[in-house]
């Protein structure tokens, strides 16, 4: 997908820019965000950890802690589908729009909201309903707003496309 994004992290200036987004079910994604002066950030997961490249450094997170979203949570929001509820400690609460599509999904852990996603402006892309306006939010890591400009299904995306690491 081609998108406009805005990242708002607690205690930092927001980052706005264009993004190229790749998604592969069930838990692989990559967001490459470009600002007015080039690459601003990359966020990716090949299904387990989440790696973030921002402000010239790489950080890898296990879901939970300062980055509470799981890769499955993010992929589900980007595609407008419910996440698999395979996590023993997680409980998902889903609100639906008038057409029955997920409009808000909140993941509760220990009775508190750990992560939420809001999806709206669904459009049909190659026979699938896809939300073109998405907000991901958590108390610890802030908010990521995504507005798709275009979405194009691609087959045969290799797993290497979802890996980011420092150059060697």
């Amino acid at each position: 997908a081609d998108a406009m994004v805005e990242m708002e992290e607690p205690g930092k200036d927001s980052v706005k820019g264009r993004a190229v987004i790749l998604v592969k079910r069930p838990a692989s994604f990559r967001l490459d965000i470009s600002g007015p002066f080039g690459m601003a950030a990359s966020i990716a997961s090949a299904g387990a950890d989440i790696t973030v490249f921002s402000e010239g450094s790489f950080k890898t997170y296990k879901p939970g802690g300062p980055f509470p979203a799981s890769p499955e949570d993010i992929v589900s929001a980007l595609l407008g589908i419910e996440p698999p509820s395979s996590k023993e400690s997680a409980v998902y609460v889903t609100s639906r729009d008038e057409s029955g599509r997920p409009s808000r999904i909140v993941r509760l852990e220990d009775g508190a909201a750990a992560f939420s996603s809001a999806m709206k402006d669904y459009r049909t892309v190659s026979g699938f309903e896809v939300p073109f306006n998405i907000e991901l939010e958590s108390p610890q890591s802030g908010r990521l707003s995504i507005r798709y400009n275009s979405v194009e299904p691609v087959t045969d995306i290799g797993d290497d496309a979802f890996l980011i690491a420092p150059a060697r």
Side-chain angles (χ1 to χ4, degrees), residues 64-152:
F67 205 88
S70 72
E72 295 91 349
D73 290 336
I74 295 170
V75 167
S76 296
L78 294 172
L79 296 175
I81 59 175
E82 290 189 69
S85 54
S86 61
K87 305 260 187 259
E88 290 179 18
S89 64
V91 174
Y92 293 92
V93 177
T94 303
S95 301
R96 299 184 178 283
D97 66 13
E98 63 281 348
S99 298
R101 301 170 297 215
S103 59
R104 184 168 183 79
I105 300 173
V106 178
R107 184 168 52 98
L108 302 173
E109 289 192 11
D110 299 324
F115 175 76
S116 68
S117 55
M119 294 81 57
K120 59 185 176 183
D121 189 18
Y122 279 84
R123 301 180 195 175
T124 302
V125 177
S126 297
F128 295 97
E129 293 286 315
V130 178
F132 270 60
N133 193 324
I134 303 159
E135 286 206 10
L136 309 174
E137 190 168 7
S138 75
Q140 298 95 327
S141 58
R143 181 173 55 222
L144 175 63
S145 300
I146 301 167
R147 187 172 30 95
Y148 290 146
N149 296 316
S150 64
V151 174
E152 181 181 328

Side-chain angles (χ1 to χ4, degrees), residues 33-73:
I33 304 165
S34 298
F37 303 108
M39 181 65 79
S42 285
I43 306 168
S45 176
D49 298 338
I50 297 171
T51 302
V52 177
F53 173 76
S54 179
E55 298 176 348
S57 66
F58 289 86
K59 293 181 185 169
T60 300
Y61 300 96
K62 300 256 184 245
F67 205 88
S70 72
E72 295 91 349
D73 290 336

